[in-house]
């Protein structure tokens, strides 16, 4: 690397030495008249030869890069052409110089030098500025044009125009070369000012462009000394061109080897520097007479001013568009922050902000909390896309019926709200309009949906959280009253709700502390009293409350989702106990234990896996387990149906509990893979009574008879639930029932007590 950088440095020192030697000769020439005038023409071609050698060596180094190789090769050819031109000038000077007056430039020499300048400008012009969008490129070209004209005006007024208008006419070839040199300088400066990082070094580009500045010195000498300025031009000014060229070679070599520094693509100050520069000719014109060169300068200055004005207009327009875009983005961001992305309604944050503002100002504020009933069924049965469309349709209903002073809000999920401020609209009126609208199918899927609405009006001094809590309490009360209705909050309403919530927290603690236990109610044969199976029932022994009835904690477990964990506990305990009984009394002691399953459990995607893993853990075959489900749980959509059919395929027996109480009992048997139906207790109560006034047996007997006949026809087992006396058992036997359960046959009991029954049964069989 050191050798590669030392080689260009040697050429720099050689060209610098030649320039210094030429300056020294010129001093001696002017003071003592030493030497022939042709010696002035030697430094440039000699320095040019070394510059060509340096360019050739550099080109061999960078030719692997297409852009850099092309640039330096073109510059090599240009330098060679100019060097040949200056060699011809030196030969001509040796032949035709008279005294200290240089000869005129030959057309051949001028052609070679002009070709060199043209190729150099072509090399500079072909260097790419990098990728940019059309608007950015248009602005860059406008800035470059402003800078070009500003610099050109200065060089024209102080350089080329005096030569053109001089009393001593300059040869056209000389004027052309000076003009080309000026163009190279201006083009190079404006080019490099907008050049990004690339294979051609920016410093090297500046030095190449600086070669053209030697023409400024030539022009100054020409306008000052006339033809006598030719010798100092050749001996003092022009030898600097090879020095600048070798310095450019060195800069490129160093950048290639040690890496390039980051640079800007554009120079925003350049157009304004051009404006400042163009003022100099104006001052000169103002100080002197106005001739045609001055008019050209004035025209150029006016054109630069116009272009700068256009550039400023473009910048103003771009800034205006940018500001409009920023403002539009701010509006969109503010809307997104305060609105729900799915429905477009105000979100929870905006809802709380508006409600807080109303409470602070003392304005009337009524909150309607709207919760969709059984919305999860829609998602599970029809998919989340349909559910989203339904939510959007509900949002449209709220917009239409909330009134002029109402703010519809989506709180989250399937929970909405309406905030009424101003007191002009009664909350019950809006609630009823919403409920009436929901009695008709909505959304593109034409679905019916119901909602429970809680209404709360802010009392004097109420806080934001207290108003929302009151509306929430009223909404839960509406659900407790049968759903599809509204309830206004009244003081004290929260007490049972809060108790319900408190019970949920205690339920969580009870599961963690092991306060739950499983009891088993036998399923027996009505003919011989033999134990066939057992229904597992969960009990909660609260450390403070004592025994908590299942009718109290099961709904809480359902609502909180803890029913999934509770059901998992019951299943594991039942399987463990069944295996223990089998180990003690044999696998035929109890055939199929039954476990109740809720709809919430069937929606759990891990439910089937939990059942299988529990059976595998305790070694219980799938066909020896019964899962009992209510008709309402079975009617919960496609997800539940898939789960039940998967369990049936695996061999798990499914029982329809409380059969006959639902709306679709008979149709269920066609689609639901049940193997057992359990006649609900409501059809067993009073079945033994002979109602003579009715002309025969009670209608309950007719239902019981229809169920057993249907079960026999479909090949299903039938179990009668809730048998409380022998008369009921006898009547059920007469109707054809062979299995039953109830307090008359056996009460629910702990596993140890159930084991004693099995032991007694085994003893009776042996006896």
């Amino acid at each position: 690397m050191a050798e590669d950088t030392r080689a260009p440095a040697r050429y720099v020192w050689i060209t610098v030495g030649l320039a210094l030697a030429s300056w020294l000769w010129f001093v001696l020439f002017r003071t003592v008249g030493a030497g022939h005038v042709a010696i002035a023409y030697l430094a440039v071609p000699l320095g040019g030869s070394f510059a060509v050698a340096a360019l050739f060596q550099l080109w061999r180094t960078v030719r692997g890069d297409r852009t850099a190789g092309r640039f330096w090769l073109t510059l090599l050819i240009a330098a060679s052409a100019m060097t040949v031109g200056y060699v011809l000038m030196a030969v001509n000077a040796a032949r035709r110089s008279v005294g200290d007056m240089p000869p005129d430039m030959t057309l051949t020499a001028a052609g070679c030098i002009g070709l060199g300048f043209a190729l150099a400008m072509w090399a500079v012009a072909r260097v790419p500025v990098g990728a940019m969008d059309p608007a950015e490129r248009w602005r860059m070209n406008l800035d470059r044009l402003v800078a070009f004209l500003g610099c050109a005006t200065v060089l024209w007024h102080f350089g080329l125009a005096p030569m053109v208008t001089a009393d001593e006419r300059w040869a056209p070839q000389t004027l052309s070369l000076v003009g080309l040199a000026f163009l190279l300088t201006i083009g190079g400066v404006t080019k490099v000012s907008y050049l990004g990082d690339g294979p051609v070094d920016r410093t090297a580009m500046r030095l190449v462009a600086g070669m053209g500045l030697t023409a400024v010195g030539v022009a100054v000498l020409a306008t000052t000394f006339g033809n006598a300025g030719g010798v100092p031009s050749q001996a003092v000014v022009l030898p600097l061109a090879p020095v600048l060229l070798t310095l450019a070679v060195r800069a490129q070599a160093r950048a290639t080897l040690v890496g390039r520094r980051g640079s800007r693509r554009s120079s925003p100050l350049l157009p304004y520097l051009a404006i400042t520069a163009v003022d100099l000719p104006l001052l000169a014109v103002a100080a002197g007479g106005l001739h045609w060169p001055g008019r050209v300068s004035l025209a150029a200055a006016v054109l630069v001013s116009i272009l700068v004005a256009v550039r400023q207009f473009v910048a103003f327009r771009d800034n205006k568009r940018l500001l409009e875009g920023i403002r539009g983005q701010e509006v969109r961001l503010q809307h997104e922050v305060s609105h729900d992305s799915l429905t477009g309604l105000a979100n929870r944050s905006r809802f709380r902000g508006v409600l807080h503002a109303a409470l602070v100002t003392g304005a009337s504020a009524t909150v309607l909390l709207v919760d969709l009933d059984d919305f999860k069924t829609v998602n599970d049965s029809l998919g989340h896309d349909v559910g989203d469309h339904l939510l959007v349709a509900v949002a449209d209903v709220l917009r239409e019926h909330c009134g002029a002073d109402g703010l519809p809000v989506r709180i989250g999920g399937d929970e909405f709200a309406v905030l009424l401020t101003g007191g002009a609209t009664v909350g019950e009126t809006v609630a009823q309009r919403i409920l009436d609208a929901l009695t008709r199918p909505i959304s593109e899927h034409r679905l019916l949906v119901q909602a429970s609405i809680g209404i709360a009006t802010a009392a004097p001094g109420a806080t934001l959280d207290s108003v929302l809590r009151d509306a929430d309490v009223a909404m839960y009360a509406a659900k407790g009253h049968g759903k599809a209705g509204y309830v206004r909050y009244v003081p004290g309403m929260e007490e049972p709700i809060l108790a319900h919530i408190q019970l949920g927290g205690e339920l969580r603690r009870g599961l963690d502390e092991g306060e739950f236990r499983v009891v088993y109610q036998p399923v027996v044969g009505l003919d011989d009293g033999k134990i066939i199976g057992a229904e597992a029932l969960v009990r909660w022994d609260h450390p403070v409350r004592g025994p908590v009835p299942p009718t109290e904690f099961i709904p809480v477990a359902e609502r909180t989702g803890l029913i999934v964990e509770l059901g998992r506990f019951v299943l594991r305990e039942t399987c463990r106990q069944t295996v223990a009984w089998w180990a003690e009394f044999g696998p035929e002691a109890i055939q199929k234990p039954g476990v109740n399953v809720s709809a919430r459990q069937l929606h759990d995607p891990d439910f089937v896996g939990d059942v299988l893993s529990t059976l595998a853990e305790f070694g219980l075959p799938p066909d020896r387990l019964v899962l009992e489900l209510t008709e309402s749980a079975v009617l919960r959509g496609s997800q539940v149906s898939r789960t039940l059919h998967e369990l049936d395929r695996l061999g798990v027996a499914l029982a329809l509990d409380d059969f006959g109480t639902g709306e679709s009992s008979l149709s269920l048997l066609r689609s639901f893979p049940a193997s057992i139906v359990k006649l609900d207790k409501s059809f067993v109560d009073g079945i033994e009574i002979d109602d003579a006034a009715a002309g025969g047996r009670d209608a309950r007997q007719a239902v019981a008879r229809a169920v057993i006949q249907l079960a026999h026809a479909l090949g299903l087992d039938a179990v009668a639930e809730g048998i409380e006396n022998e008369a009921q058992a006898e009547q059920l036997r007469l109707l054809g029932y062979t299995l039953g359960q109830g307090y008359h046959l056996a009460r629910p009991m702990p596993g140890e007590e159930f084991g004693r029954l099995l032991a007694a049964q085994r003893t009776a069989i042996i006896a």
Side-chain angles (χ1 to χ4, degrees):
M1 179 182 296
E3 179 63 27
D4 290 337
T5 55
R6 282 199 299 267
R10 285 197 297 268
Y11 290 116
V12 172
W13 287 116
I14 292 173
T15 55
V16 169
L18 289 172
L20 292 175
S22 181
W23 294 351
L24 179 60
W25 172 85
F26 178 74
V27 172
L28 294 174
F29 178 76
R30 283 301 185 189
T31 56
V32 299
H36 191 273
V37 70
I39 298 176
Y41 290 82
L42 295 178
V44 179
L46 288 174
S49 300
F50 287 105
V52 168
L55 286 167
F56 179 74
Q57 190 174 52
L58 175 64
W59 172 72
R60 294 181 60 187
T61 303
V62 301
R63 59 183 175 181
D65 185 286
R66 183 172 181 270
T67 300
R70 181 181 62 192
F71 174 79
W72 291 107
L73 177 61
T74 305
L75 211 58
L76 171 61
I77 298 172
S80 300
M82 285 188 283
T83 300
V84 170
Y86 282 109
V87 168
L88 294 176
M89 286 182 63
V91 172
N92 186 53
R95 289 179 178 177
R96 300 186 180 181
S97 295
V98 178
D100 60 352
M101 297 300 293
D104 292 335
M105 183 185 301
T106 65
L107 290 177
T108 304
C112 291
I113 298 173
L115 175 62
F117 276 120
L119 288 174
M121 287 189 292
W122 175 245
V124 170
R126 295 186 68 190
V127 176
V129 295
M132 60 181 70
D133 58 67
E136 185 179 4
R137 183 176 294 276
W138 193 87
R139 289 193 297 270
M140 182 197 70
N141 289 334
L142 184 59
D143 288 344
R144 290 170 67 179
L145 181 58
V146 171
F148 183 89
L149 288 175
C151 297
T153 302
V154 174
L155 294 178
W156 159 259
H157 191 83
F158 295 106
L160 196 58
M163 294 180 67
V164 174
T165 59
D167 294 334
E168 295 183 12
R169 296 294 180 182
W170 285 83
Q173 54 266 38
T174 302
L175 294 175
S176 300
L177 291 180
V178 172
L180 287 174
F182 285 172
L183 289 176
L184 174 62
T185 299
I186 300 168
V189 170
T190 56
K191 180 77 173 189
V192 78
S193 297
Y194 294 89
L195 187 67
D197 294 334
V200 179
D201 183 66
R202 299 177 77 241
T203 301
M205 284 275 289
R206 289 193 183 97
L207 292 169
V208 171
M211 291 170 52
L213 291 176
T214 58
V216 176
V218 172
V220 171
L221 292 172
T223 56
T224 304
F225 301 106
N227 287 332
V231 172
S233 296
Q234 294 291 332
V236 178
V237 178
L238 292 178
L240 293 175
V243 175
L244 293 173
L245 194 53
T246 53
L247 286 173
V249 171
R250 185 186 181 194
Q252 179 66 52
R254 178 172 295 180
T256 302
L257 293 173
V258 303
R260 305 176 181 87
R261 294 172 294 177
S263 60
R264 297 172 301 176
R265 169 173 289 173
S266 62
S267 178
L269 294 178
L270 188 60
Y272 303 100
L273 293 176
I275 296 175
T276 303
V278 85
D279 289 337
L280 298 176
L282 292 179
L283 293 174
V285 170
L290 184 61
H291 303 290
W292 73 266
R295 293 188 180 93
V296 173
S297 299
L298 286 174
V302 171
L303 181 58
V304 168
S305 301
I306 293 173
L307 290 174
V308 171
V310 172
R311 180 64 179 89
Q312 288 299 104
F313 172 76
V314 171
F316 173 77
R317 184 193 62 186
D318 292 343
N319 291 337
K320 182 180 178 182
R321 290 176 178 174
L322 180 61
L323 289 175
E324 290 176 349
I326 292 174
R327 292 192 187 100
Q329 187 175 11
E330 288 178 351
V331 171
R332 288 192 298 271
L333 288 175
Q334 291 175 355
H335 185 273
E336 291 174 359
V337 168
S338 60
H339 288 76
D340 176 59
S341 60
L342 175 64
T343 62
L345 297 181
N347 60 13
R348 179 192 294 269
S349 176
R350 186 183 177 203
F351 171 58
R352 292 177 65 89
V354 175
L355 177 57
H356 176 73
L359 295 177
V360 169
T361 59
S364 174
T366 298
V367 173
L368 281 71
L369 202 59
V370 183
D371 190 83
L372 302 184
D373 297 330
D374 302 319
F375 177 75
K376 193 174 187 301
T377 303
V378 176
N379 276 339
D380 293 337
S381 59
L382 300 177
H384 288 276
D385 288 341
V386 175
D388 288 346
H389 288 134
L390 183 59
L391 292 175
V392 172
V394 171
D396 293 338
V397 170
L398 296 183
R399 285 193 190 93
E400 182 179 355
H401 298 286
C402 69
D405 56 350
L407 173 67
V409 180
R410 185 187 179 199
I411 302 296
D414 60 347
E415 192 173 26
F416 295 83
V418 174
L419 175 59
L420 302 174
T421 55
T425 306
V426 178
E428 283 80 356
T429 302
V430 175
Q432 191 58 57
R433 287 205 300 256
I434 293 172
L435 293 176
D436 291 343
L438 294 179
T439 60
R440 298 181 293 274
I442 60 174
S443 87
E444 60 187 74
H445 300 281
R446 309 299 295 165
L447 298 176
L448 282 174
V449 64
Q450 296 176 330
S452 299
I453 304 176
I455 307 173
T457 299
T463 64
L464 185 147
D465 290 333
S466 67
V467 175
L468 295 180
R469 181 200 62 200
D470 294 346
D472 199 42
V473 168
M475 185 269 291
Y476 274 106
K479 285 187 176 294
H481 291 172
K483 305 180 180 180
Y486 63 84
V487 171
R488 173 175 282 278
Y489 172 81
V490 294
M493 182 181 288
E494 69 275 9
E495 293 179 4
I497 303 295
L498 294 176
H500 194 76
I501 295 173
Q502 182 180 2
L503 187 62
E506 295 178 359
L507 182 64
R508 171 71 272 173
R509 180 194 52 76
L511 282 169
D512 295 336
E513 298 295 330
E515 297 174 2
F516 290 89
R517 60 187 176 89
V518 178
V519 296
Y520 305 90
Q521 185 174 30
V523 176
V524 303
L526 295 180
D527 293 330
D528 53 11
K530 181 181 178 181
I531 298 175
I532 303 300
E535 180 178 358
L537 304 169
V538 65
R539 296 291 184 262
W540 185 10
D541 296 324
H542 195 281
V544 177
R545 300 172 183 258
V548 181
T551 53
E552 291 187 17
F553 71 80
I554 292 296
V556 175
E558 287 272 7
R559 187 169 292 113
T560 60
L562 291 174
I563 192 66
V564 174
E565 186 174 344
L566 184 61
R568 189 179 296 121
F569 161 75
V570 174
L571 176 63
R572 288 180 54 82
E573 184 62 19
T574 301
C575 291
R576 183 199 64 77
Q577 184 63 74
T578 300
V579 172
W581 287 331
W582 285 0
E584 185 176 356
F585 306 110
E588 299 303 322
I590 179 172
Q591 296 180 10
K592 293 184 177 182
V595 177
N596 289 287
V597 177
S598 72
R600 192 72 173 265
Q601 289 176 272
L602 295 174
H603 282 294
D604 182 9
D606 298 327
F607 179 68
V608 175
D610 286 343
V611 172
L612 293 179
S613 62
T614 302
L615 292 174
E617 179 182 354
F618 294 102
L620 193 69
D623 60 357
R624 299 297 293 271
L625 175 67
V626 177
L627 297 181
E628 301 187 12
L629 311 98
T630 61
E631 295 180 36
S632 60
V634 175
L635 291 170
R636 287 300 183 97
S638 58
Q639 171 63 34
V640 171
S641 178
R642 286 192 296 270
T643 299
L644 295 177
H645 280 85
E646 177 68 11
L647 291 169
D648 178 66
R649 186 185 64 81
L650 295 171
V652 177
L654 303 176
L656 267 180
D657 201 6
D658 303 332
F659 188 75
T661 59
E663 298 178 356
S664 305
S665 298
L666 299 180
S667 62
L668 268 180
L669 294 178
R670 293 189 303 172
S671 58
F672 172 60
S675 58
I676 302 170
V677 292
K678 302 186 76 170
L679 181 67
D680 187 67
K681 182 180 183 298
S682 62
F683 299 113
V684 175
D685 291 340
I687 197 173
E688 75 281 9
I689 299 174
D690 186 0
D691 191 354
R697 292 294 183 184
D698 188 276
R700 287 178 287 251
Q701 293 188 15
V703 173
R705 182 181 294 108
V707 170
I708 189 63
Q709 291 174 351
L710 182 63
H712 288 166
L714 297 176
L716 307 177
D717 293 331
V719 179
E721 295 183 297
I723 301 175
E724 296 185 352
N725 54 60
E726 180 58 30
Q728 291 176 351
E730 179 60 28
Q731 186 61 52
L732 290 167
R733 279 193 293 268
L734 293 175
L735 291 175
Y737 285 87
T738 59
L739 300 174
Q741 68 181 97
Y743 279 21
H744 171 67
L745 302 175
R747 290 176 175 270
M749 61 191 72
E752 297 80 4
E753 186 177 345
F754 197 97
R756 288 193 289 272
L757 282 182
L758 293 177
Q761 179 175 275
R762 183 178 62 177
T763 301
I765 293 174
I766 295 174

